[in-house]
PDB file of all heavy atoms in Angstrom:
ATOM      1  N   GLY A 165      -7.315  -3.412  -9.270  1.00  0.00           N
ATOM      2  CA  GLY A 165      -6.718  -2.102  -9.513  1.00  0.00           C
ATOM      3  C   GLY A 165      -6.596  -1.246  -8.278  1.00  0.00           C
ATOM      4  O   GLY A 165      -6.098  -0.112  -8.343  1.00  0.00           O
ATOM      5  N   THR A 166      -7.030  -1.772  -7.129  1.00  0.00           N
ATOM      6  CA  THR A 166      -6.902  -1.021  -5.871  1.00  0.00           C
ATOM      7  C   THR A 166      -5.425  -0.783  -5.559  1.00  0.00           C
ATOM      8  O   THR A 166      -4.588  -1.684  -5.704  1.00  0.00           O
ATOM      9  CB  THR A 166      -7.568  -1.791  -4.716  1.00  0.00           C
ATOM     10  OG1 THR A 166      -8.972  -1.844  -4.948  1.00  0.00           O
ATOM     11  CG2 THR A 166      -7.303  -1.113  -3.378  1.00  0.00           C
ATOM     12  N   THR A 167      -5.114   0.415  -5.129  1.00  0.00           N
ATOM     13  CA  THR A 167      -3.733   0.777  -4.779  1.00  0.00           C
ATOM     14  C   THR A 167      -3.600   0.975  -3.269  1.00  0.00           C
ATOM     15  O   THR A 167      -4.600   1.012  -2.535  1.00  0.00           O
ATOM     16  CB  THR A 167      -3.317   2.083  -5.475  1.00  0.00           C
ATOM     17  OG1 THR A 167      -4.092   3.171  -4.927  1.00  0.00           O
ATOM     18  CG2 THR A 167      -3.526   2.006  -6.974  1.00  0.00           C
ATOM     19  N   GLY A 168      -2.372   1.148  -2.856  1.00  0.00           N
ATOM     20  CA  GLY A 168      -2.119   1.451  -1.453  1.00  0.00           C
ATOM     21  C   GLY A 168      -2.760   2.762  -1.036  1.00  0.00           C
ATOM     22  O   GLY A 168      -3.217   2.911   0.106  1.00  0.00           O
ATOM     23  N   LEU A 169      -2.834   3.721  -1.962  1.00  0.00           N
ATOM     24  CA  LEU A 169      -3.482   4.999  -1.648  1.00  0.00           C
ATOM     25  C   LEU A 169      -4.973   4.806  -1.393  1.00  0.00           C
ATOM     26  O   LEU A 169      -5.563   5.501  -0.542  1.00  0.00           O
ATOM     27  CB  LEU A 169      -3.262   5.995  -2.786  1.00  0.00           C
ATOM     28  CG  LEU A 169      -1.960   6.805  -2.740  1.00  0.00           C
ATOM     29  CD1 LEU A 169      -1.838   7.674  -3.987  1.00  0.00           C
ATOM     30  CD2 LEU A 169      -1.896   7.655  -1.478  1.00  0.00           C
ATOM     31  N   ASP A 170      -5.590   3.883  -2.121  1.00  0.00           N
ATOM     32  CA  ASP A 170      -7.004   3.610  -1.878  1.00  0.00           C
ATOM     33  C   ASP A 170      -7.221   3.074  -0.471  1.00  0.00           C
ATOM     34  O   ASP A 170      -8.240   3.362   0.168  1.00  0.00           O
ATOM     35  CB  ASP A 170      -7.533   2.607  -2.906  1.00  0.00           C
ATOM     36  CG  ASP A 170      -7.515   3.149  -4.326  1.00  0.00           C
ATOM     37  OD1 ASP A 170      -7.746   4.367  -4.484  1.00  0.00           O
ATOM     38  OD2 ASP A 170      -7.265   2.364  -5.254  1.00  0.00           O
ATOM     39  N   LEU A 171      -6.262   2.294   0.013  1.00  0.00           N
ATOM     40  CA  LEU A 171      -6.392   1.704   1.348  1.00  0.00           C
ATOM     41  C   LEU A 171      -6.013   2.675   2.458  1.00  0.00           C
ATOM     42  O   LEU A 171      -6.690   2.765   3.489  1.00  0.00           O
ATOM     43  CB  LEU A 171      -5.507   0.449   1.458  1.00  0.00           C
ATOM     44  CG  LEU A 171      -5.908  -0.793   0.674  1.00  0.00           C
ATOM     45  CD1 LEU A 171      -4.877  -1.880   0.885  1.00  0.00           C
ATOM     46  CD2 LEU A 171      -7.291  -1.281   1.098  1.00  0.00           C
ATOM     47  N   PHE A 172      -4.898   3.406   2.254  1.00  0.00           N
ATOM     48  CA  PHE A 172      -4.324   4.179   3.361  1.00  0.00           C
ATOM     49  C   PHE A 172      -4.226   5.682   3.089  1.00  0.00           C
ATOM     50  O   PHE A 172      -3.721   6.429   3.930  1.00  0.00           O
ATOM     51  CB  PHE A 172      -2.897   3.662   3.655  1.00  0.00           C
ATOM     52  CG  PHE A 172      -2.793   2.185   3.818  1.00  0.00           C
ATOM     53  CD1 PHE A 172      -2.054   1.414   2.921  1.00  0.00           C
ATOM     54  CD2 PHE A 172      -3.436   1.528   4.866  1.00  0.00           C
ATOM     55  CE1 PHE A 172      -1.939   0.047   3.066  1.00  0.00           C
ATOM     56  CE2 PHE A 172      -3.328   0.157   5.017  1.00  0.00           C
ATOM     57  CZ  PHE A 172      -2.583  -0.588   4.121  1.00  0.00           C
ATOM     58  N   GLY A 173      -4.707   6.140   1.932  1.00  0.00           N
ATOM     59  CA  GLY A 173      -4.461   7.512   1.521  1.00  0.00           C
ATOM     60  C   GLY A 173      -5.050   8.566   2.428  1.00  0.00           C
ATOM     61  O   GLY A 173      -4.583   9.715   2.438  1.00  0.00           O
ATOM     62  N   ARG A 174      -6.069   8.226   3.211  1.00  0.00           N
ATOM     63  CA  ARG A 174      -6.666   9.210   4.110  1.00  0.00           C
ATOM     64  C   ARG A 174      -5.813   9.446   5.362  1.00  0.00           C
ATOM     65  O   ARG A 174      -6.072  10.382   6.108  1.00  0.00           O
ATOM     66  CB  ARG A 174      -8.062   8.750   4.525  1.00  0.00           C
ATOM     67  CG  ARG A 174      -9.063   8.736   3.378  1.00  0.00           C
ATOM     68  CD  ARG A 174     -10.430   8.335   3.880  1.00  0.00           C
ATOM     69  NE  ARG A 174     -11.416   8.323   2.779  1.00  0.00           N
ATOM     70  CZ  ARG A 174     -12.700   8.007   2.950  1.00  0.00           C
ATOM     71  NH1 ARG A 174     -13.153   7.683   4.162  1.00  0.00           N
ATOM     72  NH2 ARG A 174     -13.521   8.010   1.913  1.00  0.00           N
ATOM     73  N   ASN A 175      -4.835   8.582   5.567  1.00  0.00           N
ATOM     74  CA  ASN A 175      -3.991   8.677   6.764  1.00  0.00           C
ATOM     75  C   ASN A 175      -2.596   9.133   6.357  1.00  0.00           C
ATOM     76  O   ASN A 175      -1.815   8.352   5.820  1.00  0.00           O
ATOM     77  CB  ASN A 175      -3.929   7.312   7.464  1.00  0.00           C
ATOM     78  CG  ASN A 175      -3.150   7.370   8.772  1.00  0.00           C
ATOM     79  OD1 ASN A 175      -2.607   8.417   9.149  1.00  0.00           O
ATOM     80  ND2 ASN A 175      -3.083   6.251   9.466  1.00  0.00           N
ATOM     81  N   ARG A 176      -2.283  10.393   6.598  1.00  0.00           N
ATOM     82  CA  ARG A 176      -0.972  10.926   6.206  1.00  0.00           C
ATOM     83  C   ARG A 176       0.177  10.306   6.991  1.00  0.00           C
ATOM     84  O   ARG A 176       1.341  10.499   6.653  1.00  0.00           O
ATOM     85  CB  ARG A 176      -0.956  12.446   6.405  1.00  0.00           C
ATOM     86  CG  ARG A 176      -1.642  13.210   5.279  1.00  0.00           C
ATOM     87  CD  ARG A 176      -0.702  13.280   4.062  1.00  0.00           C
ATOM     88  NE  ARG A 176      -1.341  13.943   2.937  1.00  0.00           N
ATOM     89  CZ  ARG A 176      -1.333  15.252   2.759  1.00  0.00           C
ATOM     90  NH1 ARG A 176      -0.735  16.034   3.638  1.00  0.00           N
ATOM     91  NH2 ARG A 176      -1.936  15.773   1.720  1.00  0.00           N
ATOM     92  N   ASP A 177      -0.139   9.582   8.061  1.00  0.00           N
ATOM     93  CA  ASP A 177       0.912   8.916   8.835  1.00  0.00           C
ATOM     94  C   ASP A 177       1.456   7.689   8.112  1.00  0.00           C
ATOM     95  O   ASP A 177       2.496   7.155   8.492  1.00  0.00           O
ATOM     96  CB  ASP A 177       0.392   8.493  10.213  1.00  0.00           C
ATOM     97  CG  ASP A 177       0.074   9.685  11.097  1.00  0.00           C
ATOM     98  OD1 ASP A 177       0.686  10.748  10.877  1.00  0.00           O
ATOM     99  OD2 ASP A 177      -0.783   9.556  11.991  1.00  0.00           O
ATOM    100  N   VAL A 178       0.754   7.220   7.059  1.00  0.00           N
ATOM    101  CA  VAL A 178       1.204   6.067   6.275  1.00  0.00           C
ATOM    102  C   VAL A 178       1.872   6.595   5.011  1.00  0.00           C
ATOM    103  O   VAL A 178       1.249   7.301   4.218  1.00  0.00           O
ATOM    104  CB  VAL A 178       0.030   5.142   5.909  1.00  0.00           C
ATOM    105  CG1 VAL A 178       0.521   3.978   5.050  1.00  0.00           C
ATOM    106  CG2 VAL A 178      -0.651   4.619   7.168  1.00  0.00           C
ATOM    107  N   VAL A 179       3.156   6.260   4.826  1.00  0.00           N
ATOM    108  CA  VAL A 179       3.916   6.817   3.700  1.00  0.00           C
ATOM    109  C   VAL A 179       4.237   5.787   2.624  1.00  0.00           C
ATOM    110  O   VAL A 179       4.653   6.149   1.526  1.00  0.00           O
ATOM    111  CB  VAL A 179       5.230   7.468   4.199  1.00  0.00           C
ATOM    112  CG1 VAL A 179       4.925   8.660   5.096  1.00  0.00           C
ATOM    113  CG2 VAL A 179       6.114   6.454   4.928  1.00  0.00           C
ATOM    114  N   ALA A 180       4.070   4.512   2.918  1.00  0.00           N
ATOM    115  CA  ALA A 180       4.369   3.449   1.947  1.00  0.00           C
ATOM    116  C   ALA A 180       3.695   2.180   2.446  1.00  0.00           C
ATOM    117  O   ALA A 180       2.975   2.186   3.451  1.00  0.00           O
ATOM    118  CB  ALA A 180       5.878   3.258   1.798  1.00  0.00           C
ATOM    119  N   MET A 181       3.936   1.075   1.756  1.00  0.00           N
ATOM    120  CA  MET A 181       3.389  -0.208   2.198  1.00  0.00           C
ATOM    121  C   MET A 181       4.431  -1.300   1.985  1.00  0.00           C
ATOM    122  O   MET A 181       5.382  -1.136   1.208  1.00  0.00           O
ATOM    123  CB  MET A 181       2.094  -0.534   1.448  1.00  0.00           C
ATOM    124  CG  MET A 181       2.251  -0.640  -0.062  1.00  0.00           C
ATOM    125  SD  MET A 181       0.651  -0.926  -0.880  1.00  0.00           S
ATOM    126  CE  MET A 181       1.119  -0.819  -2.604  1.00  0.00           C
ATOM    127  N   ARG A 182       4.239  -2.387   2.690  1.00  0.00           N
ATOM    128  CA  ARG A 182       5.137  -3.538   2.559  1.00  0.00           C
ATOM    129  C   ARG A 182       4.308  -4.735   2.123  1.00  0.00           C
ATOM    130  O   ARG A 182       3.315  -5.080   2.765  1.00  0.00           O
ATOM    131  CB  ARG A 182       5.849  -3.823   3.876  1.00  0.00           C
ATOM    132  CG  ARG A 182       6.837  -4.987   3.783  1.00  0.00           C
ATOM    133  CD  ARG A 182       7.511  -5.273   5.109  1.00  0.00           C
ATOM    134  NE  ARG A 182       8.486  -4.243   5.460  1.00  0.00           N
ATOM    135  CZ  ARG A 182       8.291  -3.282   6.360  1.00  0.00           C
ATOM    136  NH1 ARG A 182       7.130  -3.214   6.990  1.00  0.00           N
ATOM    137  NH2 ARG A 182       9.227  -2.390   6.624  1.00  0.00           N
ATOM    138  N   ILE A 183       4.742  -5.358   1.025  1.00  0.00           N
ATOM    139  CA  ILE A 183       4.091  -6.571   0.524  1.00  0.00           C
ATOM    140  C   ILE A 183       5.168  -7.627   0.324  1.00  0.00           C
ATOM    141  O   ILE A 183       6.155  -7.386  -0.375  1.00  0.00           O
ATOM    142  CB  ILE A 183       3.347  -6.310  -0.803  1.00  0.00           C
ATOM    143  CG1 ILE A 183       2.226  -5.284  -0.600  1.00  0.00           C
ATOM    144  CG2 ILE A 183       2.779  -7.616  -1.364  1.00  0.00           C
ATOM    145  CD1 ILE A 183       1.479  -4.930  -1.877  1.00  0.00           C
ATOM    146  N   ALA A 184       4.993  -8.772   0.956  1.00  0.00           N
ATOM    147  CA  ALA A 184       5.960  -9.877   0.851  1.00  0.00           C
ATOM    148  C   ALA A 184       7.369  -9.410   1.212  1.00  0.00           C
ATOM    149  O   ALA A 184       8.346  -9.787   0.555  1.00  0.00           O
ATOM    150  CB  ALA A 184       5.932 -10.490  -0.546  1.00  0.00           C
ATOM    151  N   GLY A 185       7.458  -8.569   2.227  1.00  0.00           N
ATOM    152  CA  GLY A 185       8.760  -8.104   2.705  1.00  0.00           C
ATOM    153  C   GLY A 185       9.370  -6.989   1.891  1.00  0.00           C
ATOM    154  O   GLY A 185      10.472  -6.530   2.214  1.00  0.00           O
ATOM    155  N   THR A 186       8.698  -6.528   0.842  1.00  0.00           N
ATOM    156  CA  THR A 186       9.242  -5.504  -0.043  1.00  0.00           C
ATOM    157  C   THR A 186       8.521  -4.175   0.176  1.00  0.00           C
ATOM    158  O   THR A 186       7.289  -4.127   0.231  1.00  0.00           O
ATOM    159  CB  THR A 186       9.099  -5.934  -1.514  1.00  0.00           C
ATOM    160  OG1 THR A 186       9.812  -7.156  -1.717  1.00  0.00           O
ATOM    161  CG2 THR A 186       9.660  -4.868  -2.448  1.00  0.00           C
ATOM    162  N   LEU A 187       9.291  -3.104   0.294  1.00  0.00           N
ATOM    163  CA  LEU A 187       8.718  -1.771   0.441  1.00  0.00           C
ATOM    164  C   LEU A 187       8.278  -1.257  -0.919  1.00  0.00           C
ATOM    165  O   LEU A 187       9.044  -1.306  -1.892  1.00  0.00           O
ATOM    166  CB  LEU A 187       9.746  -0.819   1.044  1.00  0.00           C
ATOM    167  CG  LEU A 187      10.204  -1.126   2.472  1.00  0.00           C
ATOM    168  CD1 LEU A 187      11.336  -0.187   2.871  1.00  0.00           C
ATOM    169  CD2 LEU A 187       9.048  -1.003   3.441  1.00  0.00           C
ATOM    170  N   LEU A 188       7.056  -0.750  -0.990  1.00  0.00           N
ATOM    171  CA  LEU A 188       6.488  -0.285  -2.252  1.00  0.00           C
ATOM    172  C   LEU A 188       5.815   1.072  -2.067  1.00  0.00           C
ATOM    173  O   LEU A 188       5.329   1.402  -0.979  1.00  0.00           O
ATOM    174  CB  LEU A 188       5.457  -1.279  -2.785  1.00  0.00           C
ATOM    175  CG  LEU A 188       5.946  -2.694  -3.121  1.00  0.00           C
ATOM    176  CD1 LEU A 188       4.767  -3.583  -3.465  1.00  0.00           C
ATOM    177  CD2 LEU A 188       6.949  -2.661  -4.268  1.00  0.00           C
ATOM    178  N   ASP A 189       5.768   1.845  -3.157  1.00  0.00           N
ATOM    179  CA  ASP A 189       5.011   3.091  -3.156  1.00  0.00           C
ATOM    180  C   ASP A 189       3.528   2.794  -2.964  1.00  0.00           C
ATOM    181  O   ASP A 189       3.013   1.756  -3.408  1.00  0.00           O
ATOM    182  CB  ASP A 189       5.176   3.817  -4.495  1.00  0.00           C
ATOM    183  CG  ASP A 189       6.624   4.079  -4.849  1.00  0.00           C
ATOM    184  OD1 ASP A 189       7.265   4.848  -4.125  1.00  0.00           O
ATOM    185  OD2 ASP A 189       7.097   3.511  -5.852  1.00  0.00           O
ATOM    186  N   LEU A 190       2.808   3.742  -2.362  1.00  0.00           N
ATOM    187  CA  LEU A 190       1.377   3.556  -2.166  1.00  0.00           C
ATOM    188  C   LEU A 190       0.608   3.582  -3.486  1.00  0.00           C
ATOM    189  O   LEU A 190      -0.524   3.084  -3.563  1.00  0.00           O
ATOM    190  CB  LEU A 190       0.834   4.640  -1.234  1.00  0.00           C
ATOM    191  CG  LEU A 190       1.230   4.504   0.248  1.00  0.00           C
ATOM    192  CD1 LEU A 190       0.676   5.663   1.059  1.00  0.00           C
ATOM    193  CD2 LEU A 190       0.745   3.175   0.827  1.00  0.00           C
ATOM    194  N   GLN A 191       1.208   4.153  -4.547  1.00  0.00           N
ATOM    195  CA  GLN A 191       0.513   4.189  -5.840  1.00  0.00           C
ATOM    196  C   GLN A 191       0.475   2.832  -6.524  1.00  0.00           C
ATOM    197  O   GLN A 191      -0.271   2.641  -7.492  1.00  0.00           O
ATOM    198  CB  GLN A 191       1.189   5.196  -6.791  1.00  0.00           C
ATOM    199  CG  GLN A 191       1.065   6.637  -6.336  1.00  0.00           C
ATOM    200  CD  GLN A 191       2.308   7.075  -5.586  1.00  0.00           C
ATOM    201  OE1 GLN A 191       2.955   6.257  -4.929  1.00  0.00           O
ATOM    202  NE2 GLN A 191       2.644   8.349  -5.675  1.00  0.00           N
ATOM    203  N   ARG A 192       1.271   1.884  -6.043  1.00  0.00           N
ATOM    204  CA  ARG A 192       1.340   0.575  -6.711  1.00  0.00           C
ATOM    205  C   ARG A 192       0.036  -0.198  -6.506  1.00  0.00           C
ATOM    206  O   ARG A 192      -0.592  -0.151  -5.426  1.00  0.00           O
ATOM    207  CB  ARG A 192       2.526  -0.234  -6.166  1.00  0.00           C
ATOM    208  CG  ARG A 192       3.880   0.435  -6.359  1.00  0.00           C
ATOM    209  CD  ARG A 192       4.392   0.297  -7.775  1.00  0.00           C
ATOM    210  NE  ARG A 192       4.843  -1.053  -8.038  1.00  0.00           N
ATOM    211  CZ  ARG A 192       6.086  -1.488  -7.790  1.00  0.00           C
ATOM    212  NH1 ARG A 192       6.993  -0.660  -7.266  1.00  0.00           N
ATOM    213  NH2 ARG A 192       6.432  -2.717  -8.076  1.00  0.00           N
ATOM    214  N   GLU A 193      -0.357  -0.954  -7.536  1.00  0.00           N
ATOM    215  CA  GLU A 193      -1.568  -1.768  -7.449  1.00  0.00           C
ATOM    216  C   GLU A 193      -1.326  -3.005  -6.587  1.00  0.00           C
ATOM    217  O   GLU A 193      -0.233  -3.571  -6.577  1.00  0.00           O
ATOM    218  CB  GLU A 193      -2.032  -2.192  -8.840  1.00  0.00           C
ATOM    219  CG  GLU A 193      -2.601  -1.070  -9.666  1.00  0.00           C
ATOM    220  CD  GLU A 193      -3.224  -1.571 -10.959  1.00  0.00           C
ATOM    221  OE1 GLU A 193      -3.346  -2.812 -11.117  1.00  0.00           O
ATOM    222  OE2 GLU A 193      -3.580  -0.745 -11.804  1.00  0.00           O
ATOM    223  N   ILE A 194      -2.358  -3.406  -5.887  1.00  0.00           N
ATOM    224  CA  ILE A 194      -2.302  -4.587  -5.028  1.00  0.00           C
ATOM    225  C   ILE A 194      -2.898  -5.765  -5.794  1.00  0.00           C
ATOM    226  O   ILE A 194      -3.919  -5.627  -6.484  1.00  0.00           O
ATOM    227  CB  ILE A 194      -3.076  -4.319  -3.720  1.00  0.00           C
ATOM    228  CG1 ILE A 194      -2.440  -3.132  -2.984  1.00  0.00           C
ATOM    229  CG2 ILE A 194      -3.075  -5.546  -2.829  1.00  0.00           C
ATOM    230  CD1 ILE A 194      -3.279  -2.619  -1.838  1.00  0.00           C
ATOM    231  N   GLN A 195      -2.241  -6.925  -5.650  1.00  0.00           N
ATOM    232  CA  GLN A 195      -2.657  -8.113  -6.399  1.00  0.00           C
ATOM    233  C   GLN A 195      -3.455  -9.066  -5.508  1.00  0.00           C
ATOM    234  O   GLN A 195      -3.381  -9.014  -4.267  1.00  0.00           O
ATOM    235  CB  GLN A 195      -1.427  -8.829  -6.968  1.00  0.00           C
ATOM    236  CG  GLN A 195      -0.536  -7.933  -7.821  1.00  0.00           C
ATOM    237  CD  GLN A 195      -1.251  -7.349  -9.016  1.00  0.00           C
ATOM    238  OE1 GLN A 195      -1.982  -8.062  -9.721  1.00  0.00           O
ATOM    239  NE2 GLN A 195      -1.065  -6.048  -9.252  1.00  0.00           N
ATOM    240  N   ASP A 196      -4.173  -9.927  -6.144  1.00  0.00           N
ATOM    241  CA  ASP A 196      -4.979 -10.912  -5.423  1.00  0.00           C
ATOM    242  C   ASP A 196      -4.089 -11.762  -4.511  1.00  0.00           C
ATOM    243  O   ASP A 196      -3.049 -12.272  -4.935  1.00  0.00           O
ATOM    244  CB  ASP A 196      -5.711 -11.803  -6.426  1.00  0.00           C
ATOM    245  CG  ASP A 196      -6.701 -12.739  -5.750  1.00  0.00           C
ATOM    246  OD1 ASP A 196      -7.391 -12.299  -4.810  1.00  0.00           O
ATOM    247  OD2 ASP A 196      -6.761 -13.918  -6.159  1.00  0.00           O
ATOM    248  N   GLY A 197      -4.497 -11.906  -3.257  1.00  0.00           N
ATOM    249  CA  GLY A 197      -3.760 -12.719  -2.300  1.00  0.00           C
ATOM    250  C   GLY A 197      -2.656 -11.987  -1.559  1.00  0.00           C
ATOM    251  O   GLY A 197      -2.018 -12.568  -0.668  1.00  0.00           O
ATOM    252  N   ASP A 198      -2.413 -10.730  -1.891  1.00  0.00           N
ATOM    253  CA  ASP A 198      -1.340  -9.976  -1.224  1.00  0.00           C
ATOM    254  C   ASP A 198      -1.653  -9.754   0.254  1.00  0.00           C
ATOM    255  O   ASP A 198      -2.816  -9.542   0.646  1.00  0.00           O
ATOM    256  CB  ASP A 198      -1.131  -8.604  -1.887  1.00  0.00           C
ATOM    257  CG  ASP A 198      -0.289  -8.696  -3.152  1.00  0.00           C
ATOM    258  OD1 ASP A 198       0.324  -9.755  -3.379  1.00  0.00           O
ATOM    259  OD2 ASP A 198      -0.249  -7.702  -3.906  1.00  0.00           O
ATOM    260  N   VAL A 199      -0.590  -9.801   1.057  1.00  0.00           N
ATOM    261  CA  VAL A 199      -0.660  -9.405   2.466  1.00  0.00           C
ATOM    262  C   VAL A 199      -0.004  -8.037   2.564  1.00  0.00           C
ATOM    263  O   VAL A 199       1.189  -7.890   2.294  1.00  0.00           O
ATOM    264  CB  VAL A 199       0.055 -10.416   3.381  1.00  0.00           C
ATOM    265  CG1 VAL A 199       0.008  -9.943   4.834  1.00  0.00           C
ATOM    266  CG2 VAL A 199      -0.593 -11.787   3.250  1.00  0.00           C
ATOM    267  N   VAL A 200      -0.775  -7.031   2.925  1.00  0.00           N
ATOM    268  CA  VAL A 200      -0.344  -5.642   2.847  1.00  0.00           C
ATOM    269  C   VAL A 200      -0.189  -5.068   4.248  1.00  0.00           C
ATOM    270  O   VAL A 200      -1.096  -5.198   5.080  1.00  0.00           O
ATOM    271  CB  VAL A 200      -1.354  -4.788   2.053  1.00  0.00           C
ATOM    272  CG1 VAL A 200      -0.812  -3.380   1.844  1.00  0.00           C
ATOM    273  CG2 VAL A 200      -1.688  -5.450   0.724  1.00  0.00           C
ATOM    274  N   GLU A 201       0.953  -4.429   4.467  1.00  0.00           N
ATOM    275  CA  GLU A 201       1.205  -3.803   5.771  1.00  0.00           C
ATOM    276  C   GLU A 201       1.547  -2.333   5.560  1.00  0.00           C
ATOM    277  O   GLU A 201       2.436  -2.008   4.773  1.00  0.00           O
ATOM    278  CB  GLU A 201       2.361  -4.506   6.489  1.00  0.00           C
ATOM    279  CG  GLU A 201       2.653  -3.948   7.868  1.00  0.00           C
ATOM    280  CD  GLU A 201       3.798  -4.681   8.551  1.00  0.00           C
ATOM    281  OE1 GLU A 201       4.378  -5.594   7.919  1.00  0.00           O
ATOM    282  OE2 GLU A 201       4.118  -4.334   9.705  1.00  0.00           O
ATOM    283  N   PRO A 202       0.848  -1.405   6.229  1.00  0.00           N
ATOM    284  CA  PRO A 202       1.184   0.013   6.089  1.00  0.00           C
ATOM    285  C   PRO A 202       2.517   0.326   6.746  1.00  0.00           C
ATOM    286  O   PRO A 202       2.867  -0.256   7.778  1.00  0.00           O
ATOM    287  CB  PRO A 202       0.031   0.721   6.802  1.00  0.00           C
ATOM    288  CG  PRO A 202      -0.467  -0.277   7.801  1.00  0.00           C
ATOM    289  CD  PRO A 202      -0.281  -1.623   7.157  1.00  0.00           C
TER     290      PRO A 202
END
């Protein structure tokens, strides 16, 4: 249930994340095995 906000929310310089080449909102949940890029 961890989201992008849990990972990067303290850093206002991060506005979204990229998983498997797809841009996603930080509120989206991260799945097992995901490679996450701020």
Side-chain angles (χ1 to χ4, degrees):
T166 294
T167 67
L169 274 176
D170 295 325
L171 290 178
F172 310 116
R174 293 183 180 180
N175 184 357
R176 280 282 177 87
D177 293 334
V178 178
V179 296
M181 60 184 174
R182 182 181 288 103
I183 298 178
T186 300
L187 295 174
L188 298 173
D189 304 295
L190 288 178
Q191 294 97 329
R192 300 282 287 272
E193 289 188 8
I194 300 169
Q195 305 300 315
D196 187 41
D198 279 347
V199 178
V200 187
E201 182 179 2

